[in-house]
Amino acid sequence: MFLKLFSLFLIIPLVEIYLLVKIGGIIGAFNTVLVILITASLGAYLTKIQGFRVFRQIQDATRQGYMPGNELLHGLFVLIGGFALLTPGFLTDAIGFSMLIPQIREIYVGIAKGIIRKKIEQGNFQMRMYTDFR
């Protein structure tokens, strides 16, 4: 767990800074900032479109009477992709855009389902329900 957090909070920002400096040296500082602003704006727009699409799929699934597990995972990755696109940097933009393309997002969902399935089979996944129903 420590290594995952370490890579998330240290290695990724270092790679982002490196890429920003390198690409900024090639295309210029103004163009780099412009690309970052354009990708953030485009990312927010695409996140909105994909978010509403996934929300409709969740509504359709519940209307048909089944648990929208697959659709909820798609929603999670749309949310993560949106956050990644709002984060300045080229690596996070590439990851964010890939999570907003439904065909590629299906790969992420498949990996997540495999991880969840593996944790359940190993007994490492616990689910608790806290309710106040009587």
Side-chain angles (χ1 to χ4, degrees):
M1 185 66 168
F2 174 75
L3 288 176
K4 291 178 185 177
L5 289 174
F6 179 76
S7 67
L8 183 67
F9 291 113
L10 184 65
I11 294 174
I12 291 176
L14 287 175
V15 170
E16 289 289 11
I17 291 170
Y18 175 78
L19 288 173
L20 286 170
V21 169
K22 279 294 190 186
I23 294 172
I26 295 170
I27 66 173
F30 178 77
N31 289 335
T32 303
V33 171
L34 191 62
V35 167
I36 289 170
L37 291 174
I38 290 170
T39 57
S41 300
L42 182 62
Y45 175 73
L46 291 174
T47 301
K48 178 182 173 184
I49 290 173
Q50 289 299 312
F52 280 128
R53 178 179 288 168
V54 170
F55 185 68
R56 280 192 310 271
Q57 291 171 349
I58 291 170
Q59 286 179 324
D60 291 342
T62 54
R63 235 182 267 123
Q64 294 173 7
Y66 70 89
M67 178 65 178
N70 200 41
E71 292 82 0
L72 289 172
L73 284 174
H74 276 274
L76 173 67
F77 285 111
V78 167
L79 180 68
I80 294 170
F83 280 130
L85 283 165
L86 291 176
T87 304
F90 293 104
L91 176 64
T92 53
D93 285 350
I95 293 168
F97 277 122
S98 71
M99 288 184 179
L100 294 181
I101 300 171
Q103 295 82 2
I104 297 175
R105 189 171 59 238
E106 192 65 47
I107 295 169
Y108 289 111
V109 169
I111 292 169
K113 287 180 355 185
I115 291 169
I116 292 169
R117 187 175 294 117
K118 184 178 176 183
K119 287 189 178 284
I120 289 172
E121 288 171 356
Q122 293 174 346
N124 295 334
F125 190 81
Q126 296 179 1
M127 211 160 91
R128 294 191 177 106
M129 189 171 193
Y130 298 99
T131 63
D132 198 19
F133 295 119
R134 296 184 202 277

